[in-house]
Amino acid sequence: MKEQKTILQTFDYELFLGRKSGSVDKCLIEPTNLLLNLFKKHKFTGAIFFVDTTYLFKLKQRSEQACIDDFKSISEQLIAIISRGHYVYPHIHPHWLDAIYLKEINQWDLSNYSKYRFNLISEEEKNIVFDESIQVLKSIISQKFPDYKIDGYRAGGWCIQPFSEFKPFFEKYQIKFEFSVLTGHSNFTKAHYFDFTSAPKKEIYRFSNDICLEDESGVFKQFTISSVQLNKIATTKEKIYLKFLRYKGDKSFGDGIGLVLKSNEEKIKPTNKNESTSKSINERVSIELLNASKLLLYKKFLSENNYMHFISHPKMLSVHNLKAIDKFLYFASANYNLNTDFKKLNDNHYKLK
């Protein structure tokens, strides 16, 4: 009898967040359609797409035909996602409030990141972006799925702290499931702020007021993002392989330019007192970071753990990434009984090893 394993595939469904957003077709529609076809091939359901609803809110305000067409394309794809047995939830990037529409190329300039984090905007703006995010998503989904529950969330840039800023909206809209925590990681820039170094070393846990403080009676449930450990040999091997891929012309589908900041690199807590971050790196599990050089590492992780949570971005995917995850899913389904739906998980069963 095959061993039971859980694989969660989650995606930040968004454009690039810097001075050039990229196009809807290249960053969202085309790569997401390829993902949906791949999941159908493997009979994989339960993937979660966290939609940049602040962008949809901004898009809906425009009268240009190109914006109207983009909103229609996205709406149709979100319906298709749910129709295929996957989930759609909100994902808020408040600095869309200051985004400038580049009419000549039908793209956006988001280089003003002064409102990047939720806690940097006013109370009035908080209400606007959260309320409008829920309403715009409901307006799309309810056309075909009137009873669909919008009860999950991932913060833009993983900036879910302080949770006290979000809690009133979680309660107002009955959001119960949260997906922002990368256990052991932290990052501090003029735009980003998150510190999960004190988060519970569990893959699933409940909380109430503090995202990093477990509360067994808490009404909110956290599904932490998985990390794989890369040693010096693995990182050297990957550098060589990435050079080969660049030489072969493999690149991501997205055609935008991301937010560029001078910042600390993502800080990572050593897994034990004998390890240092100079010798090993904990890297988030992601389709866009998966290539042939790390395929064995991902297989090994799954063999040693019962829970594997991917976080990826359609805009960042390449043909090679899709080939690599295709091989991984073949391996996973051939060797294990897979659960791919987060709502079927018992939060007391999974603990980090």
mmCIF file of all heavy atoms in Angstrom, residues 5-20:
data_model
loop_
_atom_site.group_PDB
_atom_site.id
_atom_site.type_symbol
_atom_site.label_atom_id
_atom_site.label_comp_id
_atom_site.label_asym_id
_atom_site.label_seq_id
_atom_site.Cartn_x
_atom_site.Cartn_y
_atom_site.Cartn_z
ATOM 1 N N LYS A 5 0.846 11.134 1.050
ATOM 2 C CA LYS A 5 1.600 12.386 1.023
ATOM 3 C C LYS A 5 0.671 13.534 0.621
ATOM 4 O O LYS A 5 -0.290 13.339 -0.130
ATOM 5 C CB LYS A 5 2.751 12.306 0.008
ATOM 6 C CG LYS A 5 3.764 11.199 0.265
ATOM 7 C CD LYS A 5 4.719 11.550 1.404
ATOM 8 C CE LYS A 5 5.810 10.486 1.554
ATOM 9 N NZ LYS A 5 6.778 10.827 2.620
ATOM 10 N N THR A 6 0.981 14.720 1.114
ATOM 11 C CA THR A 6 0.225 15.916 0.742
ATOM 12 C C THR A 6 1.119 16.855 -0.062
ATOM 13 O O THR A 6 2.237 17.169 0.357
ATOM 14 C CB THR A 6 -0.305 16.651 1.977
ATOM 15 O OG1 THR A 6 -1.350 15.873 2.570
ATOM 16 C CG2 THR A 6 -0.855 18.021 1.616
ATOM 17 N N ILE A 7 0.627 17.279 -1.216
ATOM 18 C CA ILE A 7 1.315 18.287 -2.032
ATOM 19 C C ILE A 7 0.348 19.428 -2.283
ATOM 20 O O ILE A 7 -0.723 19.232 -2.867
ATOM 21 C CB ILE A 7 1.798 17.709 -3.380
ATOM 22 C CG1 ILE A 7 2.839 16.603 -3.166
ATOM 23 C CG2 ILE A 7 2.397 18.827 -4.242
ATOM 24 C CD1 ILE A 7 3.312 15.957 -4.461
ATOM 25 N N LEU A 8 0.705 20.611 -1.821
ATOM 26 C CA LEU A 8 -0.098 21.806 -2.078
ATOM 27 C C LEU A 8 0.606 22.660 -3.127
ATOM 28 O O LEU A 8 1.789 22.978 -2.988
ATOM 29 C CB LEU A 8 -0.288 22.626 -0.801
ATOM 30 C CG LEU A 8 -0.949 21.935 0.389
ATOM 31 C CD1 LEU A 8 -1.141 22.921 1.526
ATOM 32 C CD2 LEU A 8 -2.280 21.294 0.000
ATOM 33 N N GLN A 9 -0.121 22.991 -4.178
ATOM 34 C CA GLN A 9 0.403 23.883 -5.209
ATOM 35 C C GLN A 9 -0.310 25.222 -5.084
ATOM 36 O O GLN A 9 -1.511 25.332 -5.304
ATOM 37 C CB GLN A 9 0.162 23.293 -6.602
ATOM 38 C CG GLN A 9 0.972 22.047 -6.915
ATOM 39 C CD GLN A 9 2.447 22.372 -7.196
ATOM 40 O OE1 GLN A 9 2.841 23.547 -7.239
ATOM 41 N NE2 GLN A 9 3.242 21.332 -7.379
ATOM 42 N N THR A 10 0.434 26.254 -4.680
ATOM 43 C CA THR A 10 -0.157 27.587 -4.527
ATOM 44 C C THR A 10 0.576 28.579 -5.427
ATOM 45 O O THR A 10 1.793 28.476 -5.626
ATOM 46 C CB THR A 10 -0.125 28.060 -3.066
ATOM 47 O OG1 THR A 10 1.224 28.328 -2.664
ATOM 48 C CG2 THR A 10 -0.734 27.015 -2.140
ATOM 49 N N PHE A 11 -0.172 29.560 -5.944
ATOM 50 C CA PHE A 11 0.363 30.507 -6.920
ATOM 51 C C PHE A 11 -0.064 31.933 -6.575
ATOM 52 O O PHE A 11 -1.208 32.173 -6.200
ATOM 53 C CB PHE A 11 -0.137 30.167 -8.324
ATOM 54 C CG PHE A 11 0.249 28.799 -8.789
ATOM 55 C CD1 PHE A 11 -0.574 27.715 -8.523
ATOM 56 C CD2 PHE A 11 1.436 28.589 -9.474
ATOM 57 C CE1 PHE A 11 -0.218 26.434 -8.920
ATOM 58 C CE2 PHE A 11 1.799 27.316 -9.880
ATOM 59 C CZ PHE A 11 0.978 26.233 -9.604
ATOM 60 N N ASP A 12 0.866 32.863 -6.721
ATOM 61 C CA ASP A 12 0.539 34.280 -6.657
ATOM 62 C C ASP A 12 0.239 34.730 -8.084
ATOM 63 O O ASP A 12 1.143 34.879 -8.915
ATOM 64 C CB ASP A 12 1.694 35.087 -6.074
ATOM 65 C CG ASP A 12 1.903 34.813 -4.588
ATOM 66 O OD1 ASP A 12 1.139 34.012 -4.024
ATOM 67 O OD2 ASP A 12 2.836 35.402 -4.023
ATOM 68 N N TYR A 13 -1.020 34.925 -8.374
ATOM 69 C CA TYR A 13 -1.512 35.245 -9.714
ATOM 70 C C TYR A 13 -1.474 36.756 -9.861
ATOM 71 O O TYR A 13 -2.417 37.452 -9.511
ATOM 72 C CB TYR A 13 -2.935 34.681 -9.833
ATOM 73 C CG TYR A 13 -3.625 34.794 -11.165
ATOM 74 C CD1 TYR A 13 -3.575 33.760 -12.099
ATOM 75 C CD2 TYR A 13 -4.391 35.907 -11.465
ATOM 76 C CE1 TYR A 13 -4.260 33.840 -13.308
ATOM 77 C CE2 TYR A 13 -5.078 36.004 -12.667
ATOM 78 C CZ TYR A 13 -5.011 34.972 -13.586
ATOM 79 O OH TYR A 13 -5.700 35.055 -14.778
ATOM 80 N N GLU A 14 -0.360 37.259 -10.391
ATOM 81 C CA GLU A 14 -0.105 38.695 -10.391
ATOM 82 C C GLU A 14 0.803 39.091 -11.534
ATOM 83 O O GLU A 14 1.549 38.258 -12.077
ATOM 84 C CB GLU A 14 0.533 39.108 -9.057
ATOM 85 C CG GLU A 14 1.886 38.468 -8.843
ATOM 86 C CD GLU A 14 2.488 38.689 -7.459
ATOM 87 O OE1 GLU A 14 1.724 39.009 -6.534
ATOM 88 O OE2 GLU A 14 3.723 38.541 -7.321
ATOM 89 N N LEU A 15 0.779 40.369 -11.885
ATOM 90 C CA LEU A 15 1.720 40.938 -12.842
ATOM 91 C C LEU A 15 3.022 41.279 -12.113
ATOM 92 O O LEU A 15 3.140 41.102 -10.896
ATOM 93 C CB LEU A 15 1.121 42.195 -13.475
ATOM 94 C CG LEU A 15 -0.185 42.020 -14.263
ATOM 95 C CD1 LEU A 15 -0.660 43.378 -14.808
ATOM 96 C CD2 LEU A 15 -0.037 41.024 -15.397
ATOM 97 N N PHE A 16 4.002 41.784 -12.854
ATOM 98 C CA PHE A 16 5.227 42.265 -12.211
ATOM 99 C C PHE A 16 4.910 43.563 -11.468
ATOM 100 O O PHE A 16 4.059 44.346 -11.884
ATOM 101 C CB PHE A 16 6.321 42.492 -13.254
ATOM 102 C CG PHE A 16 6.933 41.212 -13.758
ATOM 103 C CD1 PHE A 16 6.353 40.530 -14.822
ATOM 104 C CD2 PHE A 16 8.059 40.674 -13.164
ATOM 105 C CE1 PHE A 16 6.891 39.353 -15.292
ATOM 106 C CE2 PHE A 16 8.616 39.485 -13.625
ATOM 107 C CZ PHE A 16 8.031 38.816 -14.695
ATOM 108 N N LEU A 17 5.613 43.802 -10.383
ATOM 109 C CA LEU A 17 5.234 44.868 -9.459
ATOM 110 C C LEU A 17 6.219 46.025 -9.436
ATOM 111 O O LEU A 17 6.314 46.754 -8.460
ATOM 112 C CB LEU A 17 5.070 44.277 -8.053
ATOM 113 C CG LEU A 17 4.014 43.165 -7.959
ATOM 114 C CD1 LEU A 17 4.063 42.502 -6.594
ATOM 115 C CD2 LEU A 17 2.625 43.708 -8.246
ATOM 116 N N GLY A 18 6.966 46.199 -10.541
ATOM 117 C CA GLY A 18 7.911 47.302 -10.646
ATOM 118 C C GLY A 18 7.501 48.322 -11.692
ATOM 119 O O GLY A 18 6.323 48.595 -11.878
ATOM 120 N N ARG A 19 8.469 48.866 -12.428
ATOM 121 C CA ARG A 19 8.171 49.971 -13.340
ATOM 122 C C ARG A 19 7.492 49.539 -14.633
ATOM 123 O O ARG A 19 7.036 50.380 -15.408
ATOM 124 C CB ARG A 19 9.447 50.745 -13.664
ATOM 125 C CG ARG A 19 10.516 49.954 -14.395
ATOM 126 C CD ARG A 19 11.764 50.821 -14.613
ATOM 127 N NE ARG A 19 12.859 50.093 -15.219
ATOM 128 C CZ ARG A 19 13.002 49.922 -16.525
ATOM 129 N NH1 ARG A 19 12.104 50.407 -17.362
ATOM 130 N NH2 ARG A 19 14.034 49.250 -16.994
ATOM 131 N N LYS A 20 7.418 48.218 -14.860
ATOM 132 C CA LYS A 20 6.720 47.719 -16.045
ATOM 133 C C LYS A 20 6.037 46.409 -15.672
ATOM 134 O O LYS A 20 6.691 45.403 -15.439
ATOM 135 C CB LYS A 20 7.708 47.512 -17.192
ATOM 136 C CG LYS A 20 7.064 47.082 -18.492
ATOM 137 C CD LYS A 20 8.130 46.866 -19.563
ATOM 138 C CE LYS A 20 7.511 46.303 -20.833
ATOM 139 N NZ LYS A 20 8.547 45.979 -21.842
#
